[in-house]
Structure formats: structure tokens, C-alpha cells
Amino acid sequence: MLPLELIRKDPDRVRRAAELKGEPAPIEEILALDMEWRRHVHEAETIKAEQNRLSKEFAKSRDSDLKDNLREMADRSKAELGEADAVKRQLDDLLLRVPNLFDESVPVGKGEEDNVVLRDWGSKVQLGFAARTHFDLGEALGIMDFERAARVAGSRFAFLLGQGARLERALAQFMLDVHTREHGYTEVLPPLLVNSASMTGTANLPKFGADAFRVEGHDLWLIPTSEVPLTNFHREEILDADRLPLKYTAYTPCFRSEAGAAGKDTRGFIRLHQFSKVEMVKVTAAETSMEEFEKLTADAEDILQRLGLHYQVMVMCTGDMGFAQYKKYDLNAWCPGLGRYLEVSSCSVFNDFQAMRANIRYRPARGAPPRFVHTINGSGLALTRTIDAIIETYQRADGTITVPEVLRPYMGGLEIIGARPAS
RNA sequence: GGAGAGGUGGCCGAGUCCGGUUGAAGGCGACGGUCUCGAAAACCGUUAUGGGUCACUGGCCCAUCGAGAGUUCAAAUCUCUCCCUCUCCGCCA
């Protein structure tokens, strides 16, 4: 969330950012409620101060007139405080619905069409034959099964089998190894269910509850991304500055209801209720967040490059970057079978927007007052779609798939998926 | 799941029965100072967070002892609900 102080001092800036993001922001209501809240708080505290003073006097005098007077004061201060709390609750709820500001470098735009490709790496693979889709190849090879998944769970689920399942395991190992050994991240195996406070901390609540799965009868949600447990790991903490930046990575399944995505990407291993992802999360000091954001993006790109996948880096425009993000890059990998790029990573910097919600602070120097940390996260990478890009990029004319060299050690030396045994 | 014990400041730990100058003793740690060539020891001092307000590089006030509600003039202390931790039993991977 944004500091109330900022909305008081510079409401126009907040209004403009919300407008360009295409998000409604209840600034007028907030300002009105803020005034009302402060009026009640001031009144309540004034009465309470006097009541506290006289109460000490009563402890000595036991004067019955004074007691009557105090009882009346207690009623009044309680009533005022009740009013103040009620208004504050409304105010806080509205504050959680105000979108984040965005960085100067973010292009202004309305939607997808206004995103800007910053750079690309590699080039579209020349196969020399008609490219097939990953789901076509995957089903033919018996490494993907959508039909049985529909029977066992429902639409938007998939089975990976045999060398396909192994491919995902290999990718996860490979990514985690690179991030932990070379990029300096700490590997985490987090809870896959989190409470509402955590979901609010990362801004998945209150606005986006419909996108996640909730466990019936419990205050628990299936994580839509491990960003939620990783970022909330330090919720309600004050960290020492010399510990920053903290860097975490986790391989987990992610669960999304995909409400509102009806009819979109229904074919293939693209938009599922459950998919897995290696996530990277950084907790940084305010001064270094933009730099660390670029580095985190580079860490994700490093994986794509080692896998030999052609991709582009796209900076999301104001209208497409999301409610909570301060700046966001999407990494899109080329899939020749689909004939389009698939988003395999989304890297975002939030500044203190999540930190304020999750109340994660750090002490810049000894004795200095605490400040909110900045949080950053990005996929490094989404496993499912990376598998799609690999299958489509490394497909061979006979429908088998070459295993990218960096993955072979993780696949027991296997070079080709689907090859018939030599015997 | 059953029975019991407990959750207090950066940490340890009093206080809770018998409610009141206790935002909280004492210890440890950390920081500043005295001493010393320097260090250690000793001694002195400092050491929570959020918020409101004002004649604002400071003062005054309010809140916070797991969370929430209640009783009371007054709650860390009494009552209720919830959450969490520990021990034992049961059950399991």
C-alpha cells in the first residue's frame, strides 16, 4: 500500500498513477475518511489523557463524585475511540485498494499492445520442417496427458509422464543449482498453503481473491506463486541493514483459479490450475532495489540463455503492469510450434508497496528509525512453459526431442527424448 | 484428536493468586563515555514500536505485555473466544 502521508501531501500524483494504470483509486474517500478519523482520534485521546490523570487521583481520594465523572468520561472516550476505529477500518480497506505508483522509465500505455520490447537474445530456430506444438508432440510421445488429467481433476490440468516428468525434475534441479551456486540465492521449501494475512501482504488480497483457491473451512489459500510465502517470510520483522539484500529461491507448484481466463490458452500445457515454477525473491534496502531488480532479471535470462532458448525482454506499460508493481519485465520465449512467444518469466519490483502491507522493515543504521524494505520477485523460470519452449525448439523431424546440453547431466545422460532403444 | 503447562521489550526473565505512580524489576547483549599506550575488567549512561498533536531539528499526549472482545474509574494482572508454542498420550509419513 501507499503511505497515507503521501496521499495527504500529493494526492494528484497518486491519482495520475492510478489513472494511467487503469485502476480505480478512491482518493477522495480516503482524504475525507482521514480527516474524520483524525478528528475522532484527537477527541478520544484528549478525553483519555484527562481520564488517566483523574483516575490516578481517584486511586487516592476515592471521591464518589469524581468516580461518577470518570464513568462518564470513560463512556465518552470509548465511544469516540469506537468511531475512530470504525473509520480507520474503512480507511485501511480503501488504502489496500490504491494501486502502486510506477517508475519514470515505464512506458505509458493502455494494454498489451503498448508494451515495449527492450532487447532479445538468440533468434527464431530454423527447423527445416513444419514445427509441431508441444502438446501435439507431448501426447504423441506419451509424456503429456491432458485427457486423463481432465478425468482425474478437470480441465486445465495435465499429467507429465516418463521422460516428460523427468524433464521437469531436471529443469527444476538445474535452475535451483544455478541460482543457489552461482547467483547467491538461498533455497527454500515453503508452505504451499498460506493465511489471508500473507495473501494481503503480497497484494493478492483483497482485490484478487477470486484468482486463487481457498481451502474450505480454513483461513488458508493455495499459493498462486511461492512469492507469497517467500516475501511473507519476514513479515512483521525489522531486519538489520547488513543482512540485505536477502535472496531466496524456491521450486513449488502454483495454483490459480484462472477466473476470467475462459477460452484463453485452453489447449496445451500453458495456462493450468496447477503449474510449477522456480521463483526468486529479493528483499533489499530502498537505495538498491532498481539495481537488484535488473540483476534478478539477468538471473532469469541466464537460465534461458543456457537452455539456448530465443527470448525477448519486454517492459510492461502502465496499463498492463498490474496493481502492485512499480516496474515489470516479462521474459517471453519463442515457441515455433505455437508460432508465438510464451511468457516464461515475469520480474517485478514493488518498492515498499508490499513491505508496507507485510510490515517488513530494516534499520538503515544503528539507532536510526526503521524504514520499509523494497521487495522484488521474478520467475526463474516457470517450468511448464519452459518445457513447452524446449519441446518446440528442440523438436526433430521424427517427433523426438533433443535434450538441451545443460540438462543432460540431470537426465542421466539422456540426449533424445522419445528415441527408441537401440536394441 | 485427548490431557496438562505456557506465550512479557534484541535475548533471558520477574511481575499475574490479592487490578492502581509498571511501558514494565533484574540479568545478558549492543552502543556511547570514564579509566588505559591499547585492550580486558570495573564504573556511569543510552538502548521498543505505531499513532495523534503543537508555539515542531524538540515537547506533550494516546496505544501496545500472542490476537480480539468483555468487566472496571483503572487490566500485563480478572472473564470469554481465537491463534501459537512446549510436555505427555493417541494417530500417522
Side-chain angles (χ1 to χ4, degrees):
Chain A
M1 61 199 244
L2 296 174
L4 185 51
E5 210 185 333
L6 172 70
I7 299 175
R8 278 177 199 157
K9 279 188 183 155
D10 199 354
D12 288 340
R13 183 168 168 220
V14 178
R15 248 191 295 260
R16 176 177 167 271
E19 208 169 286
L20 291 174
K21 276 194 165 188
E23 301 273 355
I27 304 300
E28 304 314 319
E29 296 95 307
I30 286 173
L31 290 172
L33 286 172
D34 177 42
M35 294 247 297
E36 196 184 339
W37 170 63
R38 283 196 282 180
R39 206 181 66 232
H40 285 300
V41 164
H42 185 68
E43 183 63 20
E45 289 188 354
T46 305
I47 300 169
K48 195 81 202 308
E50 181 68 359
Q51 186 194 336
N52 285 346
R53 198 179 63 76
L54 291 176
S55 190
K56 278 174 193 159
E57 217 168 88
F58 172 79
K60 290 178 201 145
S61 71
R62 303 279 164 179
D63 180 87
S64 68
D65 285 348
L66 185 53
K67 183 169 176 173
D68 292 344
N69 194 10
L70 277 167
R71 184 173 293 143
E72 186 265 338
M73 287 178 84
D75 288 345
R76 276 198 296 141
S77 66
K78 235 175 246 177
E80 280 296 332
L81 208 62
E83 287 288 321
D85 283 349
V87 174
K88 188 65 161 66
R89 262 194 294 277
Q90 284 180 55
L91 182 57
D92 285 341
D93 183 65
L94 289 181
L95 277 174
L96 289 174
R97 292 165 191 277
V98 176
N100 199 359
L101 304 174
F102 55 82
D103 188 62
E104 289 306 308
S105 63
V106 171
V108 170
K110 284 202 181 342
E112 276 181 63
E113 63 283 358
D114 297 314
N115 297 333
V116 177
V117 175
L118 285 185
R119 57 181 177 270
D120 62 3
W121 185 90
S123 55
K124 292 179 184 174
V125 62
Q126 298 303 313
L127 293 169
F129 55 88
R132 296 166 69 184
T133 60
H134 65 275
F135 49 87
D136 181 11
L137 289 160
E139 287 187 307
L141 287 167
I143 61 173
M144 284 182 176
D145 193 325
F146 300 99
E147 237 181 274
R148 289 192 175 91
R151 196 188 314 149
V152 171
S155 67
R156 294 194 185 277
F157 284 94
F159 276 100
L160 283 180
L161 299 148
Q163 291 169 348
R166 175 121 196 217
L167 176 62
E168 177 177 309
R169 179 156 57 93
L171 269 169
Q173 295 259 55
F174 163 66
M175 291 178 190
L176 286 172
D177 281 351
V178 172
H179 292 320
T180 56
R181 291 178 188 164
E182 299 180 42
H183 298 155
Y185 292 78
T186 300
E187 184 171 345
V188 180
L189 187 69
L192 303 182
L193 282 81
V194 297
N195 58 30
S196 295
S198 295
M199 288 286 278
T200 305
T202 35
N204 299 87
L205 288 178
K207 284 197 73 173
F208 308 104
D211 296 334
F213 289 108
R214 185 170 189 175
V215 180
E216 200 178 339
H218 298 268
D219 179 29
L220 288 171
W221 301 76
L222 273 68
I223 57 169
T225 155
S226 51
E227 165 199 348
V228 181
L230 293 183
T231 303
N232 280 283
F233 183 65
H234 290 293
R235 184 146 55 81
E236 308 291 340
E237 289 184 25
I238 299 175
L239 303 159
D240 288 331
D242 55 18
R243 291 181 65 192
L244 304 178
L246 291 159
K247 298 160 77 170
Y248 299 111
T249 185
Y251 161 58
T252 70
C254 303
F255 305 92
R256 298 190 184 176
S257 72
E258 294 298 341
K264 221 180 191 179
D265 301 321
T266 46
R267 290 219 66 185
F269 199 54
I270 299 174
R271 189 177 295 276
L272 303 169
H273 286 312
Q274 177 193 324
F275 66 97
S276 46
K277 183 155 65 75
V278 169
E279 181 76 1
M280 300 175 287
V281 165
K282 285 188 185 183
V283 176
T284 76
E287 293 74 20
T288 61
S289 59
M290 292 313 279
E291 183 190 325
E292 292 291 345
F293 169 56
E294 296 295 335
K295 282 197 207 157
L296 178 135
T297 306
D299 292 337
E301 286 185 63
D302 187 26
I303 300 290
L304 281 164
Q305 291 177 14
R306 293 190 198 208
L307 289 170
L309 296 173
H310 165 53
Y311 68 90
Q312 52 180 214
V313 179
M314 192 176 254
V315 58
M316 310 303 279
C317 73
T318 54
D320 201 32
M321 68 188 293
F323 172 81
Q325 289 81 355
Y326 187 71
K327 187 173 184 180
K328 175 168 153 185
Y329 294 138
D330 274 2
L331 307 187
N332 302 319
W334 175 246
C335 294
L338 294 169
R340 63 177 170 117
Y341 289 91
L342 274 188
E343 180 195 322
V344 292
S345 174
S346 180
C347 301
S348 305
V349 56
F350 296 85
N351 280 6
D352 57 4
F353 191 79
Q354 290 183 324
M356 282 194 70
R357 294 169 159 253
N359 197 22
I360 308 168
R361 293 170 290 173
Y362 72 106
R363 215 175 280 287
R366 188 164 291 288
R371 286 183 71 180
F372 288 105
V373 298
H374 282 196
T375 55
I376 300 164
N377 67 59
S379 350
L381 312 159
L383 277 285
T384 28
R385 292 182 183 173
T386 302
I387 287 171
D388 301 343
I390 288 172
I391 290 176
E392 295 192 11
T393 300
Y394 287 93
Q395 62 181 296
R396 295 150 45 104
D398 64 356
T400 59
I401 295 144
T402 306
V403 176
E405 223 151 307
V406 290
L407 294 181
R408 290 179 192 170
Y410 295 96
M411 299 277 290
L414 186 75
E415 290 177 21
I416 295 170
I417 291 174
R420 296 200 170 277
S423 56

